[in-house]
Protein backbone atom coordinates (compact mmCIF):
# COMPACT_ATOMS: atom_id res chain seq x y z
CA UNK A 1 0.00 0.00 0.00
CA UNK A 2 1.15 3.51 -0.78
CA UNK A 3 1.71 5.32 2.49
CA UNK A 4 0.28 8.66 3.42
CA UNK A 5 3.15 11.10 3.59
CA UNK A 6 1.56 13.16 6.25
CA UNK A 7 -1.10 12.49 8.74
CA UNK A 8 -1.50 14.96 11.53
CA UNK A 9 -2.01 13.28 14.89
CA UNK A 10 -3.25 15.25 17.84
CA UNK A 11 -3.65 12.98 20.84
CA UNK A 12 -6.14 13.45 23.64
CA UNK A 13 -4.75 14.62 26.94
CA UNK A 14 -7.08 12.48 29.05
CA UNK A 15 -8.52 9.22 27.83
CA UNK A 16 -12.16 8.54 28.65
CA UNK A 17 -11.51 4.79 28.65
CA UNK A 18 -12.07 4.62 32.41
CA UNK A 19 -15.67 5.83 31.95
CA UNK A 20 -16.62 2.73 29.96
CA UNK A 21 -18.78 0.09 31.61
CA UNK A 22 -17.36 -2.89 29.73
CA UNK A 23 -20.14 -5.16 30.91
CA UNK A 24 -22.82 -2.98 29.36
CA UNK A 25 -21.63 -1.81 25.96
CA UNK A 26 -24.92 -0.74 24.47
CA UNK A 27 -24.56 -0.23 20.73
CA UNK A 28 -23.12 3.20 20.01
CA UNK A 29 -23.08 4.39 23.63
CA UNK A 30 -19.35 5.06 23.83
CA UNK A 31 -16.97 6.63 21.36
CA UNK A 32 -13.26 5.91 21.38
CA UNK A 33 -10.86 8.75 22.21
CA UNK A 34 -9.95 9.74 18.66
CA UNK A 35 -11.51 10.25 15.26
CA UNK A 36 -10.09 10.69 11.79
CA UNK A 37 -11.16 13.74 9.83
CA UNK A 38 -10.21 14.61 6.27
CA UNK A 39 -11.56 17.60 4.38
CA UNK A 40 -12.19 17.88 0.68
CA UNK A 41 -12.20 21.31 -0.97
CA UNK A 42 -10.97 23.00 -4.16
CA UNK A 43 -11.10 19.64 -5.90
CA UNK A 44 -8.70 17.84 -3.59
CA UNK A 45 -8.41 15.90 -0.36
CA UNK A 46 -6.45 17.73 2.34
CA UNK A 47 -4.10 16.16 4.89
CA UNK A 48 -6.00 13.68 7.10
CA UNK A 49 -5.97 14.37 10.80
CA UNK A 50 -6.50 12.13 13.79
CA UNK A 51 -7.87 14.32 16.55
CA UNK A 52 -9.70 13.92 19.87
CA UNK A 53 -13.34 12.86 19.42
CA UNK A 54 -15.34 16.08 19.48
CA UNK A 55 -18.36 17.85 18.03
CA UNK A 56 -18.18 19.26 14.53
CA UNK A 57 -18.62 22.84 13.60
CA UNK A 58 -20.86 23.15 10.53
CA UNK A 59 -22.75 25.92 8.83
CA UNK A 60 -26.52 25.55 9.23
CA UNK A 61 -26.62 25.68 5.44
CA UNK A 62 -24.16 22.79 5.04
CA UNK A 63 -25.65 20.91 2.09
CA UNK A 64 -25.70 17.50 3.80
CA UNK A 65 -28.27 18.84 6.26
CA UNK A 66 -30.69 19.77 3.48
CA UNK A 67 -30.31 17.53 0.46
CA UNK A 68 -28.95 14.34 1.91
CA UNK A 69 -25.47 13.98 0.49
CA UNK A 70 -24.34 11.66 3.27
CA UNK A 71 -22.97 8.14 3.05
CA UNK A 72 -21.55 5.74 5.61
CA UNK A 73 -19.98 2.36 6.26
CA UNK A 74 -20.18 0.00 9.21
CA UNK A 75 -17.44 -2.48 9.99
CA UNK A 76 -15.71 -4.11 12.96
CA UNK A 77 -12.28 -4.72 14.48
CA UNK A 78 -11.78 -7.75 16.71
CA UNK A 79 -9.36 -8.76 19.42
CA UNK A 80 -7.68 -11.93 18.14
CA UNK A 81 -6.82 -14.97 20.25
CA UNK A 82 -3.18 -13.81 20.38
CA UNK A 83 -4.10 -10.28 21.48
CA UNK A 84 -3.53 -8.63 18.11
CA UNK A 85 -6.28 -6.62 16.43
CA UNK A 86 -8.05 -7.62 13.25
CA UNK A 87 -9.96 -5.18 11.08
CA UNK A 88 -12.37 -7.36 9.11
CA UNK A 89 -12.42 -6.94 5.29
CA UNK A 90 -11.60 -3.20 5.21
CA UNK A 91 -10.95 -3.25 1.45
CA UNK A 92 -14.42 -4.57 0.72
CA UNK A 93 -15.93 -1.82 2.85
CA UNK A 94 -13.72 0.73 1.11
CA UNK A 95 -14.87 -0.42 -2.32
CA UNK A 96 -18.50 -0.27 -1.27
CA UNK A 97 -18.02 3.25 0.06
CA UNK A 98 -16.63 4.27 -3.35
CA UNK A 99 -19.80 2.94 -5.00
CA UNK A 100 -21.98 4.84 -2.53
CA UNK A 101 -19.94 8.02 -3.14
CA UNK A 102 -20.27 7.68 -6.89
CA UNK A 103 -24.05 7.25 -6.68
CA UNK A 104 -24.37 10.36 -4.52
CA UNK A 105 -21.99 12.48 -6.67
CA UNK A 106 -19.48 12.65 -3.85
CA UNK A 107 -15.70 12.52 -4.40
CA UNK A 108 -13.86 9.19 -4.14
CA UNK A 109 -11.90 8.87 -0.93
CA UNK A 110 -8.30 7.94 -1.72
CA UNK A 111 -7.47 4.39 -0.81
CA UNK A 112 -4.58 5.35 1.47
CA UNK A 113 -6.64 7.83 3.44
CA UNK A 114 -9.34 5.26 4.09
CA UNK A 115 -7.21 2.20 4.71
CA UNK A 116 -4.14 3.66 6.31
CA UNK A 117 -6.06 6.32 8.19
CA UNK A 118 -8.32 3.59 9.54
CA UNK A 119 -5.37 1.47 10.57
CA UNK A 120 -3.61 4.33 12.37
CA UNK A 121 -6.79 5.30 14.14
CA UNK A 122 -7.47 1.75 15.32
CA UNK A 123 -3.85 1.38 16.44
CA UNK A 124 -4.04 4.60 18.41
CA UNK A 125 -7.32 3.55 20.04
CA UNK A 126 -6.29 -0.10 20.39
CA UNK A 127 -7.23 -0.13 24.09
CA UNK A 128 -10.80 0.41 22.96
CA UNK A 129 -11.01 -2.93 21.17
CA UNK A 130 -12.79 -5.15 23.69
CA UNK A 131 -11.61 -8.70 24.23
CA UNK A 132 -14.64 -10.51 25.63
CA UNK A 133 -16.08 -13.19 23.36
CA UNK A 134 -18.02 -11.69 20.47
CA UNK A 135 -17.44 -8.06 21.35
CA UNK A 136 -15.73 -5.73 18.88
CA UNK A 137 -14.84 -2.18 18.02
CA UNK A 138 -17.55 -0.95 15.66
CA UNK A 139 -16.04 1.38 13.05
CA UNK A 140 -18.16 4.02 11.36
CA UNK A 141 -16.56 5.78 8.37
CA UNK A 142 -18.83 8.41 6.81
CA UNK A 143 -18.83 11.37 4.48
CA UNK A 144 -20.98 14.49 4.51
CA UNK A 145 -21.36 17.50 2.22
CA UNK A 146 -20.16 20.49 4.24
CA UNK A 147 -20.36 23.28 1.68
CA UNK A 148 -22.51 26.14 3.00
CA UNK A 149 -25.06 26.95 0.31
CA UNK A 150 -28.82 26.85 0.32
CA UNK A 151 -29.23 26.18 -3.39
CA UNK A 152 -29.86 22.62 -4.48
CA UNK A 153 -26.59 21.47 -5.97
CA UNK A 154 -23.82 18.93 -5.77
CA UNK A 155 -21.53 20.16 -2.99
CA UNK A 156 -17.94 21.09 -3.60
CA UNK A 157 -16.79 20.57 -0.03
CA UNK A 158 -16.95 17.43 2.10
CA UNK A 159 -15.69 15.86 5.29
CA UNK A 160 -14.68 12.23 5.54
CA UNK A 161 -14.71 11.06 9.14
CA UNK A 162 -14.12 7.79 10.99
CA UNK A 163 -15.37 7.26 14.54
CA UNK A 164 -15.26 4.08 16.64
CA UNK A 165 -17.48 2.60 19.29
CA UNK A 166 -16.85 -0.52 21.41
CA UNK A 167 -19.81 -2.91 21.17
CA UNK A 168 -20.76 -6.18 22.79
CA UNK A 169 -22.19 -9.31 21.24
CA UNK A 170 -25.76 -8.99 20.22
CA UNK A 171 -27.84 -12.06 20.92
CA UNK A 172 -30.95 -10.92 19.16
CA UNK A 173 -34.21 -12.62 20.09
CA UNK A 174 -35.90 -14.32 17.14
CA UNK A 175 -37.92 -11.63 15.38
CA UNK A 176 -41.32 -11.35 13.76
CA UNK A 177 -41.31 -9.82 10.32
CA UNK A 178 -43.94 -8.65 7.90
CA UNK A 179 -43.87 -8.89 4.13
CA UNK A 180 -44.23 -5.19 3.29
CA UNK A 181 -46.68 -4.64 0.45
CA UNK A 182 -47.41 -0.92 0.75
CA UNK A 183 -44.01 0.70 1.05
CA UNK A 184 -40.70 0.07 -0.67
CA UNK A 185 -37.18 0.61 0.61
CA UNK A 186 -35.50 0.74 -2.78
CA UNK A 187 -36.54 0.68 -6.40
CA UNK A 188 -34.91 -0.19 -9.66
CA UNK A 189 -32.67 2.69 -10.68
CA UNK A 190 -32.73 4.05 -7.12
CA UNK A 191 -30.14 4.20 -4.36
CA UNK A 192 -30.82 0.89 -2.59
CA UNK A 193 -27.33 -0.47 -3.21
CA UNK A 194 -25.69 2.62 -1.70
CA UNK A 195 -25.26 3.16 2.04
CA UNK A 196 -26.65 6.68 1.86
CA UNK A 197 -28.49 8.38 4.71
CA UNK A 198 -31.76 8.91 2.85
CA UNK A 199 -32.44 5.18 2.51
CA UNK A 200 -32.64 4.83 6.28
CA UNK A 201 -34.75 7.88 6.97
CA UNK A 202 -37.28 6.64 4.43
CA UNK A 203 -37.44 3.19 6.04
CA UNK A 204 -38.46 4.41 9.51
CA UNK A 205 -42.12 5.09 8.78
CA UNK A 206 -43.04 1.66 7.36
CA UNK A 207 -41.00 0.01 10.12
CA UNK A 208 -42.85 1.96 12.82
CA UNK A 209 -46.18 0.99 11.28
CA UNK A 210 -45.14 -2.67 11.28
CA UNK A 211 -44.17 -2.34 14.98
CA UNK A 212 -47.62 -0.99 15.76
CA UNK A 213 -49.01 -4.13 14.15
CA UNK A 214 -46.88 -6.32 16.41
CA UNK A 215 -43.93 -7.04 14.12
CA UNK A 216 -40.28 -6.23 14.78
CA UNK A 217 -39.23 -5.55 11.21
CA UNK A 218 -40.39 -5.58 7.64
CA UNK A 219 -39.27 -7.76 4.75
CA UNK A 220 -38.79 -5.38 1.84
CA UNK A 221 -40.15 -6.47 -1.49
CA UNK A 222 -39.15 -5.52 -5.02
CA UNK A 223 -40.72 -2.28 -6.25
CA UNK A 224 -41.93 -3.55 -9.62
CA UNK A 225 -44.06 -6.57 -8.86
CA UNK A 226 -44.15 -6.44 -5.10
CA UNK A 227 -43.65 -10.19 -5.11
CA UNK A 228 -39.95 -10.79 -4.69
CA UNK A 229 -38.13 -10.69 -1.37
CA UNK A 230 -35.26 -8.21 -1.14
CA UNK A 231 -34.02 -7.54 2.41
CA UNK A 232 -35.04 -7.86 6.05
CA UNK A 233 -34.97 -4.46 7.74
CA UNK A 234 -31.40 -3.19 7.41
CA UNK A 235 -30.03 -6.68 6.83
CA UNK A 236 -29.74 -9.05 3.91
CA UNK A 237 -31.98 -12.07 4.20
CA UNK A 238 -31.42 -15.81 3.86
CA UNK A 239 -33.72 -18.82 4.00
CA UNK A 240 -32.96 -22.48 4.38
CA UNK A 241 -35.38 -24.40 2.22
CA UNK A 242 -34.88 -28.13 1.69
CA UNK A 243 -31.29 -27.92 3.05
CA UNK A 244 -30.32 -25.24 0.56
CA UNK A 245 -29.49 -21.66 1.52
CA UNK A 246 -31.56 -19.33 -0.62
CA UNK A 247 -31.02 -15.59 -0.88
CA UNK A 248 -31.99 -12.97 -3.46
CA UNK A 249 -29.28 -12.09 -6.00
CA UNK A 250 -27.62 -8.66 -5.74
CA UNK A 251 -29.19 -5.86 -7.72
CA UNK A 252 -29.34 -2.08 -7.56
CA UNK A 253 -32.06 -2.31 -4.93
CA UNK A 254 -30.19 -4.67 -2.62
CA UNK A 255 -27.24 -3.66 -0.50
CA UNK A 256 -24.17 -5.82 -1.13
CA UNK A 257 -23.59 -6.86 2.49
CA UNK A 258 -20.11 -7.93 3.52
CA UNK A 259 -21.70 -10.38 5.96
CA UNK A 260 -23.92 -11.80 3.20
CA UNK A 261 -20.92 -12.27 0.95
CA UNK A 262 -18.78 -13.82 3.71
CA UNK A 263 -21.45 -16.24 4.92
CA UNK A 264 -22.17 -17.43 1.38
CA UNK A 265 -18.47 -18.11 0.87
CA UNK A 266 -18.27 -20.02 4.16
CA UNK A 267 -21.38 -22.00 3.26
CA UNK A 268 -19.92 -23.00 -0.11
CA UNK A 269 -16.61 -23.92 1.60
CA UNK A 270 -18.57 -26.25 3.87
CA UNK A 271 -20.39 -27.85 0.94
CA UNK A 272 -23.77 -26.33 1.82
CA UNK A 273 -25.68 -25.66 -1.41
CA UNK A 274 -26.35 -21.96 -2.01
CA UNK A 275 -28.84 -20.51 -4.44
CA UNK A 276 -28.83 -16.79 -5.32
CA UNK A 277 -32.09 -16.45 -7.19
CA UNK A 278 -35.14 -14.20 -6.95
CA UNK A 279 -37.49 -15.52 -4.25
CA UNK A 280 -41.21 -15.12 -4.92
CA UNK A 281 -43.51 -14.85 -1.86
CA UNK A 282 -45.53 -17.77 -3.23
CA UNK A 283 -42.39 -19.86 -3.07
CA UNK A 284 -42.14 -19.04 0.64
CA UNK A 285 -45.80 -19.85 1.24
CA UNK A 286 -45.33 -23.11 -0.61
CA UNK A 287 -42.28 -23.97 1.47
CA UNK A 288 -44.25 -23.33 4.67
CA UNK A 289 -47.09 -25.50 3.39
CA UNK A 290 -44.69 -28.34 2.59
CA UNK A 291 -42.70 -27.82 5.78
CA UNK A 292 -39.55 -27.58 3.70
CA UNK A 293 -38.48 -24.21 5.13
CA UNK A 294 -36.37 -24.73 8.24
CA UNK A 295 -34.68 -21.36 8.80
CA UNK A 296 -35.00 -17.68 7.96
CA UNK A 297 -32.56 -15.04 9.15
CA UNK A 298 -31.22 -11.56 8.50
CA UNK A 299 -27.47 -11.04 8.11
CA UNK A 300 -25.38 -7.92 8.73
CA UNK A 301 -22.36 -6.55 10.58
CA UNK A 302 -24.16 -5.54 13.78
CA UNK A 303 -25.52 -8.95 14.79
CA UNK A 304 -24.00 -11.27 12.12
CA UNK A 305 -27.28 -13.23 11.94
CA UNK A 306 -30.67 -12.61 13.44
CA UNK A 307 -33.22 -15.43 13.45
CA UNK A 308 -36.74 -14.87 12.17
CA UNK A 309 -39.49 -16.72 14.08
CA UNK A 310 -42.54 -15.63 12.14
CA UNK A 311 -43.30 -14.10 8.75
CA UNK A 312 -46.57 -12.26 8.23
CA UNK A 313 -47.72 -12.64 4.64
CA UNK A 314 -50.94 -10.84 3.71
CA UNK A 315 -52.71 -11.24 7.08
CA UNK A 316 -51.52 -14.80 7.65
CA UNK A 317 -48.76 -15.66 10.09
CA UNK A 318 -46.26 -18.32 9.09
CA UNK A 319 -44.08 -19.76 11.86
CA UNK A 320 -40.58 -21.11 11.44
CA UNK A 321 -39.59 -24.23 13.41
CA UNK A 322 -38.67 -23.23 16.95
CA UNK A 323 -35.55 -25.38 17.34
CA UNK A 324 -32.08 -23.89 16.91
CA UNK A 325 -31.29 -22.83 13.36
CA UNK A 326 -28.46 -25.25 12.63
CA UNK A 327 -27.22 -23.72 9.39
CA UNK A 328 -27.35 -20.19 10.78
CA UNK A 329 -25.55 -21.18 13.98
CA UNK A 330 -22.91 -23.08 12.04
CA UNK A 331 -22.20 -20.09 9.77
CA UNK A 332 -22.21 -17.59 12.60
CA UNK A 333 -19.81 -19.67 14.65
CA UNK A 334 -17.50 -20.33 11.72
CA UNK A 335 -17.52 -16.63 10.82
CA UNK A 336 -16.58 -15.62 14.37
CA UNK A 337 -13.84 -18.22 14.53
CA UNK A 338 -12.23 -16.89 11.34
CA UNK A 339 -12.47 -13.29 12.51
CA UNK A 340 -10.81 -13.99 15.86
CA UNK A 341 -8.07 -16.23 14.50
CA UNK A 342 -9.40 -19.55 15.86
CA UNK A 343 -9.81 -20.92 12.34
CA UNK A 344 -7.55 -20.25 9.34
CA UNK A 345 -8.36 -17.19 7.27
CA UNK A 346 -8.14 -18.89 3.89
CA UNK A 347 -9.82 -16.03 2.02
CA UNK A 348 -7.46 -13.39 3.50
CA UNK A 349 -10.26 -11.36 4.98
CA UNK A 350 -8.43 -10.39 8.16
CA UNK A 351 -6.37 -7.22 8.24
CA UNK A 352 -4.28 -7.64 11.36
CA UNK A 353 -2.75 -4.42 12.70
C1 LIG B 1 -25.34 -2.25 5.86
C2 LIG B 1 -26.54 -2.94 5.32
C3 LIG B 1 -26.62 -4.34 5.18
C4 LIG B 1 -25.59 -5.28 5.73
O1 LIG B 1 -24.31 -5.08 5.21
P1 LIG B 1 -23.05 -5.61 6.01
O2 LIG B 1 -21.89 -5.19 5.18
O3 LIG B 1 -23.16 -7.08 6.08
O4 LIG B 1 -23.10 -5.00 7.36
C5 LIG B 1 -27.73 -4.88 4.56
N1 LIG B 1 -28.73 -4.10 4.12
C6 LIG B 1 -28.70 -2.77 4.25
C7 LIG B 1 -29.83 -1.98 3.73
C8 LIG B 1 -27.60 -2.16 4.87
O5 LIG B 1 -27.59 -0.83 5.01
Amino acid sequence: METIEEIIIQKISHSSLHLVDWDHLEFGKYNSDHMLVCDYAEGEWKVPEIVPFSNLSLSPTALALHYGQTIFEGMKAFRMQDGSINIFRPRKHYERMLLSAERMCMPAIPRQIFLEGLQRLVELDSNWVPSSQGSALYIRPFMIATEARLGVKVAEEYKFIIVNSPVETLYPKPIKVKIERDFVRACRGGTGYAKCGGNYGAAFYPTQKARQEGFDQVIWMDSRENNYVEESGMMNVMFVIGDKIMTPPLSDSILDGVTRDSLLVLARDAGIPVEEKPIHVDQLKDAFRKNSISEAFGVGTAAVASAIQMIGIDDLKYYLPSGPFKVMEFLKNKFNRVRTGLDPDIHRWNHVV
Side-chain angles (χ1 to χ4, degrees):
M1 194 186 342
E2 219 180 303
T3 55
I4 315 178
E5 313 213 328
E6 322 163 69
I7 178 162
I8 299 166
I9 299 183
Q10 186 197 329
K11 291 191 188 167
I12 36 108
S13 43
H14 299 286
S15 173
S16 54
L17 201 59
H18 63 283
L19 299 174
V20 178
D21 177 357
W22 294 96
D23 296 325
H24 301 96
L25 295 173
E26 285 151 54
F27 194 86
K29 181 168 176 189
Y30 300 106
N31 296 110
S32 70
D33 286 330
H34 299 91
M35 62 182 186
L36 178 128
V37 180
C38 189
D39 287 326
Y40 177 92
E42 289 111 23
E44 60 172 32
W45 288 95
K46 310 295 177 189
V47 178
E49 299 185 26
I50 292 177
V51 295
F53 182 91
S54 60
N55 289 346
L56 301 174
S57 170
L58 281 183
S59 164
T61 63
L63 286 167
L65 303 176
H66 302 268
Y67 311 119
Q69 267 188 307
T70 79
I71 58 171
F72 66 96
E73 270 303 317
M75 55 204 282
K76 282 180 173 174
F78 299 87
R79 182 75 63 181
M80 303 282 269
Q81 281 309 103
D82 64 3
S84 59
I85 291 167
N86 169 29
I87 305 176
F88 189 70
R89 301 192 76 176
R91 289 171 207 86
K92 181 123 177 106
H93 286 278
Y94 169 65
E95 279 155 22
R96 186 169 71 188
M97 192 153 196
L98 290 185
L99 286 179
S100 300
E102 183 188 33
R103 182 64 181 80
M104 299 308 289
C105 294
M106 299 167 86
I109 304 135
R111 205 180 164 77
Q112 321 79 278
I113 295 180
F114 186 102
L115 293 173
E116 204 180 317
L118 171 67
Q119 176 166 337
R120 296 263 200 106
L121 177 67
V122 170
E123 278 167 349
L124 190 61
D125 279 346
S126 62
N127 288 339
W128 288 82
V129 182
S131 50
S132 65
Q133 173 81 43
S135 59
L137 187 69
Y138 182 82
I139 301 167
R140 168 54 61 89
F142 63 105
M143 197 202 311
I144 55 173
T146 49
E147 184 184 348
R149 260 312 179 89
L150 273 180
V152 181
K153 71 185 276 278
V154 172
E156 280 164 32
E157 293 166 18
Y158 297 87
K159 264 186 202 301
F160 170 64
I161 302 175
I162 308 179
V163 295
N164 303 316
S165 174
V167 295
E168 64 198 348
T169 332
L170 287 174
Y171 292 106
K173 282 192 302 186
I175 58 168
K176 303 183 179 99
V177 300
K178 172 195 165 187
I179 294 282
E180 179 55 68
R181 299 283 203 177
D182 297 327
F183 301 97
V184 291
R185 187 193 81 90
C187 59
R188 190 176 293 184
T191 57
Y193 69 93
K195 260 182 131 65
C196 61
N199 289 348
Y200 305 84
F204 290 151
Y205 181 73
T207 308
Q208 274 197 341
K209 291 199 82 151
R211 296 226 165 106
Q212 283 158 11
E213 294 166 31
F215 296 94
D216 301 295
Q217 263 303 344
V218 301
I219 298 259
W220 301 107
M221 307 299 284
D222 77 287
S223 64
R224 293 204 150 186
E225 288 189 37
N226 227 314
N227 273 324
Y228 292 94
V229 171
E230 301 227 301
E231 298 202 49
S232 169
M234 294 300 144
M235 302 176 99
N236 295 111
V237 67
M238 295 185 182
F239 302 93
V240 178
I241 300 178
D243 298 329
K244 209 178 346 179
I245 297 177
M246 301 181 61
T247 193
L250 295 177
S251 72
D252 64 358
S253 55
I254 293 186
L255 193 114
D256 181 0
V258 177
T259 315
R260 175 190 180 279
D261 181 81
S262 307
L263 296 186
L264 293 183
V265 169
L266 294 177
R268 289 183 172 117
D269 286 352
I272 304 170
V274 170
E275 197 172 278
E276 292 176 71
K277 278 201 194 143
I279 302 168
H280 197 286
V281 212
D282 288 345
Q283 212 179 326
L284 285 185
K285 286 201 228 171
D286 202 48
F288 276 109
R289 216 171 289 128
K290 291 182 178 144
N291 273 325
S292 59
I293 181 165
S294 51
E295 305 182 19
F297 49 94
V299 303
T301 295
V304 180
S306 167
I308 293 171
Q309 67 172 90
M310 183 268 274
I311 307 181
I313 311 178
D314 304 331
D315 298 330
L316 284 178
K317 292 177 174 162
Y318 295 82
Y319 287 87
L320 276 299
S322 59
F325 285 177
K326 283 195 204 130
V327 174
M328 184 190 90
E329 291 301 338
F330 167 80
L331 291 177
K332 199 170 170 174
N333 186 39
K334 180 75 195 168
F335 191 49
N336 286 332
R337 290 181 65 87
V338 171
R339 297 193 297 185
T340 52
L342 284 167
D343 279 356
D345 172 30
I346 59 172
H347 301 288
R348 310 179 105 250
W349 288 334
N350 294 339
H351 183 86
V352 179
V353 302

